[in-house]
């Protein structure tokens, strides 16, 4: 059984569990995406909506790539999948940083 990572949501204080939808706020920690949406309800702009949508797509891709790497048989395939995941995590980090600033979290 795979041990899932856990963090505390900086907005609600409940557990954020790896695989859930969340954002990382640089220098502060993790927040459920739903908590961030609630925080953003009075700050919704086309930019915030676009970043939230993009973040959700990248988060889903990261979770799927982690699962694909877990089931891959050969080290070559696993390595390529993990490399792709790292690239997407880097893209997600840049978008999360901008989103957290727009939401007043960062």
């Amino acid at each position: 059984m795979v041990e899932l990572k856990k963090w505390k949501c900086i907005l609600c204080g409940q557990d954020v569990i790896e695989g859930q939808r969340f954002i990382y706020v640089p220098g502060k920690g993790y927040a459920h995406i739903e908590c961030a949406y609630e925080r953003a309800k009075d700050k919704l702009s086309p930019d915030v909506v676009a970043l939230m949508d993009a973040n959700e797509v990248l988060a889903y891709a990261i979770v799927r790539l982690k699962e694909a790497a877990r089931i891959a048989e050969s080290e070559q395939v696993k390595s390529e999948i993990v490399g792709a995941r790292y690239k997407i995590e880097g893209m997600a980090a840049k978008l999360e940083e901008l989103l957290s600033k727009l939401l007043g979290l960062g």
Side-chain angles (χ1 to χ4, degrees), residues 10 25-28 39 96-97 99-106:
I10 61 170
V25 180
K28 296 196 176 179
R39 178 77 172 264
E96 288 172 335
E97 183 175 5
L99 178 58
S100 67
K101 286 179 185 175
L102 291 176
L103 295 177
L105 302 174

Side-chain angles (χ1 to χ4, degrees), residues 23 26 98:
I23 65 168
L98 182 54

Side-chain angles (χ1 to χ4, degrees), residues 6-68:
K6 293 182 183 180
W7 308 273
K8 291 291 180 194
C9 177
I10 61 170
L11 299 175
C12 75
Q14 299 297 314
D15 284 343
V16 175
I17 301 169
E18 186 177 22
Q20 289 181 320
R21 300 178 326 147
F22 64 86
I23 65 168
Y24 174 71
V25 180
K28 296 196 176 179
Y30 296 85
H32 296 107
I33 196 71
E34 291 81 5
C35 293
Y37 288 169
E38 180 64 27
R39 178 77 172 264
K41 68 182 177 188
D42 60 339
K43 297 180 182 188
L44 289 180
S45 69
D47 286 343
V48 169
V49 172
L51 285 169
M52 288 177 149
D53 190 43
N55 175 267
E56 191 159 345
V57 169
L58 294 175
Y60 181 74
I62 291 165
V63 169
R64 293 300 306 264
L65 288 168
K66 283 183 178 183
E67 180 61 15

Side-chain angles (χ1 to χ4, degrees), residues 46-94:
D47 286 343
V48 169
V49 172
L51 285 169
M52 288 177 149
D53 190 43
N55 175 267
E56 191 159 345
V57 169
L58 294 175
Y60 181 74
I62 291 165
V63 169
R64 293 300 306 264
L65 288 168
K66 283 183 178 183
E67 180 61 15
R70 187 187 69 73
I71 63 175
E73 186 173 56
S74 75
E75 285 304 314
Q76 179 185 8
V77 169
K78 185 177 291 208
S79 177
E80 289 297 323
I81 293 170
V82 169
R85 187 189 100 212
Y86 288 161
K87 288 177 185 176
I88 292 173
E89 285 176 341
M91 289 186 275
K94 289 178 183 178

